[in-house]
Amino acid sequence: VMSLGLAFFMCQVPYLICPIEYSAELERMTMSCEPSALFRPQEYGLPDTVTTWRRILGIKETVTFYPFFIHCFFMSLFASIIGPFGGFFASGFKRAFKIKDFGDLIPGHGGIMDRFDCQFLMATFVNVYIHSFINIPTPGKLLQQVFMLRPDEQLELFHGLQDSLLARGILQPEA
């Protein structure tokens, strides 16, 4: 519940949802943008399985919320159910190497690593989640990747794309 409240607050603050970019015209950093669909309320239809409950409780057929809430829900679910196991993994790792603590910087607490063992598991999950469900390729991102290729690889990609576009009738052959 707290994660959804925090997510709602985050969706309201432009500083948290708009990228900061350098404006050559203003010669300074700017932060004005149209928020992506992820941070704008969207309407979703309720499944037919809840039709009876919807009628009994007098609820509308649709519900409106930020799509960002879905991501927050799954991350908070993972953090609360699986995250604590990071401590168990760290303890098993320490036992395998027959050490008591990862360090002694914080006396009686096992060092810095012992304080953050759950966060390492959570950071790994967040990284995989972002790259799997949030970071969707865009033409700009793909173009950036193409520019990192060697010139011969760029030509190979160009000719392959050209052949594909010609075959599908999207691009007209040169006269």
Side-chain angles (χ1 to χ4, degrees), residues 92-120:
F93 187 76
K94 287 189 298 187
R95 284 193 183 108
F97 288 97
K98 296 182 179 12
I99 56 175
K100 184 181 181 307
D101 296 325
F102 280 124
D104 58 358
L105 186 63
I106 307 172
H109 290 278
I112 298 292
M113 284 288 288
D114 283 338
R115 299 294 97 207
F116 292 100
D117 45 18
C118 297
Q119 281 75 8
F120 290 123

PDB file of all heavy atoms in Angstrom, residues 92-120:
ATOM      1  N   GLY A  92      24.830 -17.922   3.705  1.00  0.00           N
ATOM      2  CA  GLY A  92      25.343 -19.162   3.126  1.00  0.00           C
ATOM      3  C   GLY A  92      26.705 -18.951   2.487  1.00  0.00           C
ATOM      4  O   GLY A  92      27.598 -19.804   2.600  1.00  0.00           O
ATOM      5  N   PHE A  93      26.869 -17.810   1.843  1.00  0.00           N
ATOM      6  CA  PHE A  93      28.156 -17.480   1.227  1.00  0.00           C
ATOM      7  C   PHE A  93      29.237 -17.354   2.292  1.00  0.00           C
ATOM      8  O   PHE A  93      30.335 -17.874   2.141  1.00  0.00           O
ATOM      9  CB  PHE A  93      27.986 -16.172   0.447  1.00  0.00           C
ATOM     10  CG  PHE A  93      29.164 -15.780  -0.371  1.00  0.00           C
ATOM     11  CD1 PHE A  93      29.440 -16.411  -1.569  1.00  0.00           C
ATOM     12  CD2 PHE A  93      30.007 -14.761   0.047  1.00  0.00           C
ATOM     13  CE1 PHE A  93      30.524 -16.044  -2.336  1.00  0.00           C
ATOM     14  CE2 PHE A  93      31.096 -14.384  -0.710  1.00  0.00           C
ATOM     15  CZ  PHE A  93      31.354 -15.033  -1.908  1.00  0.00           C
ATOM     16  N   LYS A  94      28.904 -16.674   3.396  1.00  0.00           N
ATOM     17  CA  LYS A  94      29.880 -16.496   4.476  1.00  0.00           C
ATOM     18  C   LYS A  94      30.232 -17.845   5.122  1.00  0.00           C
ATOM     19  O   LYS A  94      31.382 -18.108   5.422  1.00  0.00           O
ATOM     20  CB  LYS A  94      29.336 -15.538   5.545  1.00  0.00           C
ATOM     21  CG  LYS A  94      29.311 -14.095   5.100  1.00  0.00           C
ATOM     22  CD  LYS A  94      28.980 -13.152   6.218  1.00  0.00           C
ATOM     23  CE  LYS A  94      27.613 -13.412   6.770  1.00  0.00           C
ATOM     24  NZ  LYS A  94      27.173 -12.414   7.743  1.00  0.00           N
ATOM     25  N   ARG A  95      29.223 -18.689   5.324  1.00  0.00           N
ATOM     26  CA  ARG A  95      29.483 -20.003   5.928  1.00  0.00           C
ATOM     27  C   ARG A  95      30.358 -20.869   5.029  1.00  0.00           C
ATOM     28  O   ARG A  95      31.200 -21.620   5.511  1.00  0.00           O
ATOM     29  CB  ARG A  95      28.166 -20.719   6.214  1.00  0.00           C
ATOM     30  CG  ARG A  95      27.474 -20.172   7.426  1.00  0.00           C
ATOM     31  CD  ARG A  95      26.353 -21.077   7.894  1.00  0.00           C
ATOM     32  NE  ARG A  95      25.693 -20.448   9.020  1.00  0.00           N
ATOM     33  CZ  ARG A  95      24.491 -19.905   8.982  1.00  0.00           C
ATOM     34  NH1 ARG A  95      23.793 -19.939   7.866  1.00  0.00           N
ATOM     35  NH2 ARG A  95      23.968 -19.355  10.051  1.00  0.00           N
ATOM     36  N   ALA A  96      30.155 -20.757   3.718  1.00  0.00           N
ATOM     37  CA  ALA A  96      30.958 -21.544   2.782  1.00  0.00           C
ATOM     38  C   ALA A  96      32.434 -21.180   2.878  1.00  0.00           C
ATOM     39  O   ALA A  96      33.299 -22.028   2.689  1.00  0.00           O
ATOM     40  CB  ALA A  96      30.456 -21.328   1.355  1.00  0.00           C
ATOM     41  N   PHE A  97      32.720 -19.911   3.188  1.00  0.00           N
ATOM     42  CA  PHE A  97      34.104 -19.460   3.307  1.00  0.00           C
ATOM     43  C   PHE A  97      34.569 -19.354   4.756  1.00  0.00           C
ATOM     44  O   PHE A  97      35.640 -18.820   5.038  1.00  0.00           O
ATOM     45  CB  PHE A  97      34.292 -18.118   2.589  1.00  0.00           C
ATOM     46  CG  PHE A  97      34.251 -18.253   1.097  1.00  0.00           C
ATOM     47  CD1 PHE A  97      33.079 -18.010   0.391  1.00  0.00           C
ATOM     48  CD2 PHE A  97      35.374 -18.660   0.404  1.00  0.00           C
ATOM     49  CE1 PHE A  97      33.033 -18.147  -0.972  1.00  0.00           C
ATOM     50  CE2 PHE A  97      35.340 -18.798  -0.972  1.00  0.00           C
ATOM     51  CZ  PHE A  97      34.165 -18.536  -1.667  1.00  0.00           C
ATOM     52  N   LYS A  98      33.710 -19.824   5.681  1.00  0.00           N
ATOM     53  CA  LYS A  98      34.032 -19.865   7.105  1.00  0.00           C
ATOM     54  C   LYS A  98      34.450 -18.501   7.664  1.00  0.00           C
ATOM     55  O   LYS A  98      35.461 -18.374   8.357  1.00  0.00           O
ATOM     56  CB  LYS A  98      35.115 -20.910   7.384  1.00  0.00           C
ATOM     57  CG  LYS A  98      34.658 -22.319   7.068  1.00  0.00           C
ATOM     58  CD  LYS A  98      35.713 -23.328   7.396  1.00  0.00           C
ATOM     59  CE  LYS A  98      35.369 -24.751   7.140  1.00  0.00           C
ATOM     60  NZ  LYS A  98      34.280 -25.182   6.420  1.00  0.00           N
ATOM     61  N   ILE A  99      33.655 -17.479   7.308  1.00  0.00           N
ATOM     62  CA  ILE A  99      33.884 -16.148   7.887  1.00  0.00           C
ATOM     63  C   ILE A  99      32.630 -15.724   8.639  1.00  0.00           C
ATOM     64  O   ILE A  99      31.517 -16.108   8.277  1.00  0.00           O
ATOM     65  CB  ILE A  99      34.268 -15.099   6.822  1.00  0.00           C
ATOM     66  CG1 ILE A  99      33.217 -15.002   5.713  1.00  0.00           C
ATOM     67  CG2 ILE A  99      35.629 -15.399   6.230  1.00  0.00           C
ATOM     68  CD1 ILE A  99      33.481 -13.908   4.709  1.00  0.00           C
ATOM     69  N   LYS A 100      32.805 -14.939   9.692  1.00  0.00           N
ATOM     70  CA  LYS A 100      31.669 -14.518  10.506  1.00  0.00           C
ATOM     71  C   LYS A 100      30.991 -13.289   9.912  1.00  0.00           C
ATOM     72  O   LYS A 100      29.787 -13.237   9.776  1.00  0.00           O
ATOM     73  CB  LYS A 100      32.123 -14.224  11.935  1.00  0.00           C
ATOM     74  CG  LYS A 100      30.971 -13.882  12.857  1.00  0.00           C
ATOM     75  CD  LYS A 100      31.475 -13.565  14.250  1.00  0.00           C
ATOM     76  CE  LYS A 100      30.371 -13.247  15.218  1.00  0.00           C
ATOM     77  NZ  LYS A 100      29.457 -12.234  14.828  1.00  0.00           N
ATOM     78  N   ASP A 101      31.794 -12.284   9.576  1.00  0.00           N
ATOM     79  CA  ASP A 101      31.260 -11.038   9.041  1.00  0.00           C
ATOM     80  C   ASP A 101      32.009 -10.651   7.774  1.00  0.00           C
ATOM     81  O   ASP A 101      33.148 -11.065   7.566  1.00  0.00           O
ATOM     82  CB  ASP A 101      31.413  -9.903  10.069  1.00  0.00           C
ATOM     83  CG  ASP A 101      30.591 -10.152  11.320  1.00  0.00           C
ATOM     84  OD1 ASP A 101      29.498 -10.714  11.187  1.00  0.00           O
ATOM     85  OD2 ASP A 101      31.052  -9.772  12.411  1.00  0.00           O
ATOM     86  N   PHE A 102      31.363  -9.816   6.966  1.00  0.00           N
ATOM     87  CA  PHE A 102      32.018  -9.321   5.763  1.00  0.00           C
ATOM     88  C   PHE A 102      33.014  -8.207   6.077  1.00  0.00           C
ATOM     89  O   PHE A 102      33.802  -7.834   5.241  1.00  0.00           O
ATOM     90  CB  PHE A 102      30.991  -8.811   4.749  1.00  0.00           C
ATOM     91  CG  PHE A 102      30.346  -9.896   3.949  1.00  0.00           C
ATOM     92  CD1 PHE A 102      28.965 -10.037   3.927  1.00  0.00           C
ATOM     93  CD2 PHE A 102      31.106 -10.770   3.197  1.00  0.00           C
ATOM     94  CE1 PHE A 102      28.368 -11.028   3.174  1.00  0.00           C
ATOM     95  CE2 PHE A 102      30.511 -11.769   2.443  1.00  0.00           C
ATOM     96  CZ  PHE A 102      29.142 -11.897   2.433  1.00  0.00           C
ATOM     97  N   GLY A 103      32.935  -7.643   7.239  1.00  0.00           N
ATOM     98  CA  GLY A 103      33.846  -6.564   7.611  1.00  0.00           C
ATOM     99  C   GLY A 103      33.621  -6.144   9.041  1.00  0.00           C
ATOM    100  O   GLY A 103      32.746  -6.658   9.733  1.00  0.00           O
ATOM    101  N   ASP A 104      34.403  -5.183   9.498  1.00  0.00           N
ATOM    102  CA  ASP A 104      34.251  -4.724  10.881  1.00  0.00           C
ATOM    103  C   ASP A 104      34.143  -3.205  10.973  1.00  0.00           C
ATOM    104  O   ASP A 104      34.433  -2.613  11.999  1.00  0.00           O
ATOM    105  CB  ASP A 104      35.409  -5.237  11.742  1.00  0.00           C
ATOM    106  CG  ASP A 104      36.768  -4.788  11.222  1.00  0.00           C
ATOM    107  OD1 ASP A 104      36.817  -4.113  10.175  1.00  0.00           O
ATOM    108  OD2 ASP A 104      37.766  -5.118  11.883  1.00  0.00           O
ATOM    109  N   LEU A 105      33.736  -2.570   9.890  1.00  0.00           N
ATOM    110  CA  LEU A 105      33.584  -1.118   9.882  1.00  0.00           C
ATOM    111  C   LEU A 105      32.507  -0.668  10.871  1.00  0.00           C
ATOM    112  O   LEU A 105      32.648   0.337  11.550  1.00  0.00           O
ATOM    113  CB  LEU A 105      33.249  -0.624   8.473  1.00  0.00           C
ATOM    114  CG  LEU A 105      33.193   0.879   8.288  1.00  0.00           C
ATOM    115  CD1 LEU A 105      34.564   1.489   8.553  1.00  0.00           C
ATOM    116  CD2 LEU A 105      32.747   1.232   6.890  1.00  0.00           C
ATOM    117  N   ILE A 106      31.433  -1.443  10.953  1.00  0.00           N
ATOM    118  CA  ILE A 106      30.366  -1.153  11.909  1.00  0.00           C
ATOM    119  C   ILE A 106      30.432  -2.262  12.955  1.00  0.00           C
ATOM    120  O   ILE A 106      29.901  -3.354  12.730  1.00  0.00           O
ATOM    121  CB  ILE A 106      28.983  -1.132  11.221  1.00  0.00           C
ATOM    122  CG1 ILE A 106      28.985  -0.187  10.020  1.00  0.00           C
ATOM    123  CG2 ILE A 106      27.907  -0.718  12.209  1.00  0.00           C
ATOM    124  CD1 ILE A 106      27.728  -0.263   9.185  1.00  0.00           C
ATOM    125  N   PRO A 107      31.046  -2.027  14.108  1.00  0.00           N
ATOM    126  CA  PRO A 107      31.215  -3.079  15.118  1.00  0.00           C
ATOM    127  C   PRO A 107      29.881  -3.685  15.563  1.00  0.00           C
ATOM    128  O   PRO A 107      28.930  -2.967  15.843  1.00  0.00           O
ATOM    129  CB  PRO A 107      31.907  -2.364  16.276  1.00  0.00           C
ATOM    130  CG  PRO A 107      32.515  -1.146  15.671  1.00  0.00           C
ATOM    131  CD  PRO A 107      31.646  -0.769  14.521  1.00  0.00           C
ATOM    132  N   GLY A 108      29.830  -5.008  15.580  1.00  0.00           N
ATOM    133  CA  GLY A 108      28.632  -5.704  16.028  1.00  0.00           C
ATOM    134  C   GLY A 108      27.560  -5.854  14.957  1.00  0.00           C
ATOM    135  O   GLY A 108      26.529  -6.467  15.183  1.00  0.00           O
ATOM    136  N   HIS A 109      27.789  -5.266  13.790  1.00  0.00           N
ATOM    137  CA  HIS A 109      26.781  -5.341  12.719  1.00  0.00           C
ATOM    138  C   HIS A 109      27.278  -6.082  11.496  1.00  0.00           C
ATOM    139  O   HIS A 109      26.572  -6.179  10.503  1.00  0.00           O
ATOM    140  CB  HIS A 109      26.322  -3.934  12.315  1.00  0.00           C
ATOM    141  CG  HIS A 109      25.512  -3.269  13.371  1.00  0.00           C
ATOM    142  ND1 HIS A 109      24.173  -3.512  13.532  1.00  0.00           N
ATOM    143  CD2 HIS A 109      25.849  -2.381  14.331  1.00  0.00           C
ATOM    144  CE1 HIS A 109      23.717  -2.791  14.553  1.00  0.00           C
ATOM    145  NE2 HIS A 109      24.722  -2.096  15.053  1.00  0.00           N
ATOM    146  N   GLY A 110      28.491  -6.573  11.503  1.00  0.00           N
ATOM    147  CA  GLY A 110      28.961  -7.386  10.396  1.00  0.00           C
ATOM    148  C   GLY A 110      29.482  -6.616   9.203  1.00  0.00           C
ATOM    149  O   GLY A 110      29.661  -7.182   8.145  1.00  0.00           O
ATOM    150  N   GLY A 111      29.680  -5.352   9.309  1.00  0.00           N
ATOM    151  CA  GLY A 111      30.234  -4.581   8.206  1.00  0.00           C
ATOM    152  C   GLY A 111      29.168  -4.055   7.262  1.00  0.00           C
ATOM    153  O   GLY A 111      27.978  -4.319   7.398  1.00  0.00           O
ATOM    154  N   ILE A 112      29.635  -3.303   6.280  1.00  0.00           N
ATOM    155  CA  ILE A 112      28.732  -2.661   5.311  1.00  0.00           C
ATOM    156  C   ILE A 112      27.997  -3.700   4.470  1.00  0.00           C
ATOM    157  O   ILE A 112      26.794  -3.577   4.238  1.00  0.00           O
ATOM    158  CB  ILE A 112      29.536  -1.706   4.398  1.00  0.00           C
ATOM    159  CG1 ILE A 112      30.189  -0.578   5.202  1.00  0.00           C
ATOM    160  CG2 ILE A 112      28.661  -1.132   3.296  1.00  0.00           C
ATOM    161  CD1 ILE A 112      29.233   0.411   5.802  1.00  0.00           C
ATOM    162  N   MET A 113      28.708  -4.718   4.010  1.00  0.00           N
ATOM    163  CA  MET A 113      28.082  -5.732   3.151  1.00  0.00           C
ATOM    164  C   MET A 113      26.917  -6.429   3.857  1.00  0.00           C
ATOM    165  O   MET A 113      25.916  -6.747   3.224  1.00  0.00           O
ATOM    166  CB  MET A 113      29.113  -6.776   2.720  1.00  0.00           C
ATOM    167  CG  MET A 113      30.052  -6.310   1.638  1.00  0.00           C
ATOM    168  SD  MET A 113      29.239  -6.173   0.059  1.00  0.00           S
ATOM    169  CE  MET A 113      29.018  -7.894  -0.329  1.00  0.00           C
ATOM    170  N   ASP A 114      27.038  -6.666   5.152  1.00  0.00           N
ATOM    171  CA  ASP A 114      25.953  -7.321   5.886  1.00  0.00           C
ATOM    172  C   ASP A 114      24.716  -6.437   5.978  1.00  0.00           C
ATOM    173  O   ASP A 114      23.603  -6.935   6.140  1.00  0.00           O
ATOM    174  CB  ASP A 114      26.414  -7.720   7.292  1.00  0.00           C
ATOM    175  CG  ASP A 114      27.278  -8.961   7.281  1.00  0.00           C
ATOM    176  OD1 ASP A 114      27.177  -9.731   6.310  1.00  0.00           O
ATOM    177  OD2 ASP A 114      28.056  -9.151   8.233  1.00  0.00           O
ATOM    178  N   ARG A 115      24.883  -5.144   5.902  1.00  0.00           N
ATOM    179  CA  ARG A 115      23.742  -4.238   5.964  1.00  0.00           C
ATOM    180  C   ARG A 115      23.010  -4.157   4.629  1.00  0.00           C
ATOM    181  O   ARG A 115      21.854  -3.757   4.574  1.00  0.00           O
ATOM    182  CB  ARG A 115      24.175  -2.818   6.372  1.00  0.00           C
ATOM    183  CG  ARG A 115      24.830  -2.708   7.727  1.00  0.00           C
ATOM    184  CD  ARG A 115      23.881  -3.035   8.871  1.00  0.00           C
ATOM    185  NE  ARG A 115      24.052  -4.422   9.276  1.00  0.00           N
ATOM    186  CZ  ARG A 115      23.128  -5.175   9.836  1.00  0.00           C
ATOM    187  NH1 ARG A 115      21.950  -4.701  10.093  1.00  0.00           N
ATOM    188  NH2 ARG A 115      23.359  -6.410  10.166  1.00  0.00           N
ATOM    189  N   PHE A 116      23.692  -4.493   3.543  1.00  0.00           N
ATOM    190  CA  PHE A 116      23.106  -4.307   2.217  1.00  0.00           C
ATOM    191  C   PHE A 116      22.904  -5.594   1.428  1.00  0.00           C
ATOM    192  O   PHE A 116      22.685  -5.550   0.224  1.00  0.00           O
ATOM    193  CB  PHE A 116      23.984  -3.348   1.395  1.00  0.00           C
ATOM    194  CG  PHE A 116      23.967  -1.947   1.914  1.00  0.00           C
ATOM    195  CD1 PHE A 116      25.000  -1.477   2.697  1.00  0.00           C
ATOM    196  CD2 PHE A 116      22.900  -1.111   1.644  1.00  0.00           C
ATOM    197  CE1 PHE A 116      24.981  -0.189   3.189  1.00  0.00           C
ATOM    198  CE2 PHE A 116      22.878   0.178   2.133  1.00  0.00           C
ATOM    199  CZ  PHE A 116      23.916   0.645   2.908  1.00  0.00           C
ATOM    200  N   ASP A 117      22.955  -6.743   2.076  1.00  0.00           N
ATOM    201  CA  ASP A 117      22.840  -7.994   1.343  1.00  0.00           C
ATOM    202  C   ASP A 117      21.493  -8.132   0.630  1.00  0.00           C
ATOM    203  O   ASP A 117      21.429  -8.622  -0.489  1.00  0.00           O
ATOM    204  CB  ASP A 117      23.142  -9.200   2.227  1.00  0.00           C
ATOM    205  CG  ASP A 117      22.473  -9.136   3.584  1.00  0.00           C
ATOM    206  OD1 ASP A 117      21.518  -8.358   3.726  1.00  0.00           O
ATOM    207  OD2 ASP A 117      22.918  -9.867   4.486  1.00  0.00           O
ATOM    208  N   CYS A 118      20.418  -7.687   1.239  1.00  0.00           N
ATOM    209  CA  CYS A 118      19.097  -7.759   0.595  1.00  0.00           C
ATOM    210  C   CYS A 118      19.015  -6.812  -0.600  1.00  0.00           C
ATOM    211  O   CYS A 118      18.377  -7.119  -1.607  1.00  0.00           O
ATOM    212  CB  CYS A 118      17.996  -7.411   1.588  1.00  0.00           C
ATOM    213  SG  CYS A 118      17.886  -8.550   2.959  1.00  0.00           S
ATOM    214  N   GLN A 119      19.680  -5.672  -0.487  1.00  0.00           N
ATOM    215  CA  GLN A 119      19.633  -4.688  -1.564  1.00  0.00           C
ATOM    216  C   GLN A 119      20.328  -5.199  -2.827  1.00  0.00           C
ATOM    217  O   GLN A 119      19.948  -4.831  -3.935  1.00  0.00           O
ATOM    218  CB  GLN A 119      20.253  -3.353  -1.123  1.00  0.00           C
ATOM    219  CG  GLN A 119      19.331  -2.521  -0.273  1.00  0.00           C
ATOM    220  CD  GLN A 119      19.193  -3.038   1.152  1.00  0.00           C
ATOM    221  OE1 GLN A 119      19.886  -3.929   1.575  1.00  0.00           O
ATOM    222  NE2 GLN A 119      18.263  -2.463   1.888  1.00  0.00           N
ATOM    223  N   PHE A 120      21.350  -6.038  -2.669  1.00  0.00           N
ATOM    224  CA  PHE A 120      22.021  -6.576  -3.848  1.00  0.00           C
ATOM    225  C   PHE A 120      21.085  -7.473  -4.641  1.00  0.00           C
ATOM    226  O   PHE A 120      21.054  -7.419  -5.877  1.00  0.00           O
ATOM    227  CB  PHE A 120      23.303  -7.321  -3.469  1.00  0.00           C
ATOM    228  CG  PHE A 120      24.392  -6.423  -2.997  1.00  0.00           C
ATOM    229  CD1 PHE A 120      24.959  -6.603  -1.757  1.00  0.00           C
ATOM    230  CD2 PHE A 120      24.843  -5.381  -3.787  1.00  0.00           C
ATOM    231  CE1 PHE A 120      25.958  -5.765  -1.311  1.00  0.00           C
ATOM    232  CE2 PHE A 120      25.842  -4.537  -3.356  1.00  0.00           C
ATOM    233  CZ  PHE A 120      26.405  -4.726  -2.113  1.00  0.00           C
TER     234      PHE A 120
END
